[in-house]
Amino acid sequence: MILRTIGAVLGASAMLVATAAPAMVPDPDPGKKACVQEARRLCPAEMKSLSRKKVEACMIAKIDQTSPTCHAAMLRIKAQREDAAKR
């Protein structure tokens, strides 16, 4: 009886850890999700070209038309491009 109780407690604990684990992992870049929809709207030709650089350049050019989340992501990308150009 005691072993069954211990087994049930351990099983329940394992299930809690397994279901809670994905919630604890933060989204790596929420800006990417936000920007995809906006890129389709603001830069459809560049999206069809499947060129990431063209899409990023278009989105940076139209940065004032983006949401705050996407805006922040575009600023990060712009800064990364500028840093890479300096090297």
Side-chain angles (χ1 to χ4, degrees):
M1 181 72 170
I2 292 175
L3 290 177
R4 262 193 217 167
T5 305
I6 292 171
V9 169
L10 290 176
S13 298
M15 286 179 59
L16 284 173
V17 169
T19 57
M24 287 189 259
V25 177
D27 189 9
D29 190 356
K32 286 184 181 180
K33 280 187 177 180
C35 289
V36 170
Q37 295 297 326
E38 295 179 45
R40 287 184 184 137
R41 178 177 52 87
L42 297 170
C43 305
E46 290 80 0
M47 288 292 285
K48 288 179 184 176
S49 75
L50 301 176
S51 169
R52 183 180 193 160
K53 287 187 178 190
K54 287 181 181 180
V55 173
E56 288 175 355
C58 176
M59 291 296 286
I60 289 168
K62 297 181 178 186
I63 198 165
D64 292 334
Q65 299 174 45
T66 60
S67 68
T69 305
C70 183
H71 188 98
M74 288 297 104
L75 288 177
R76 281 193 307 274
I77 290 169
K78 183 178 177 184
Q80 289 170 354
R81 282 184 167 203
E82 289 170 354
D83 286 345
K86 289 178 185 176
R87 292 179 192 175

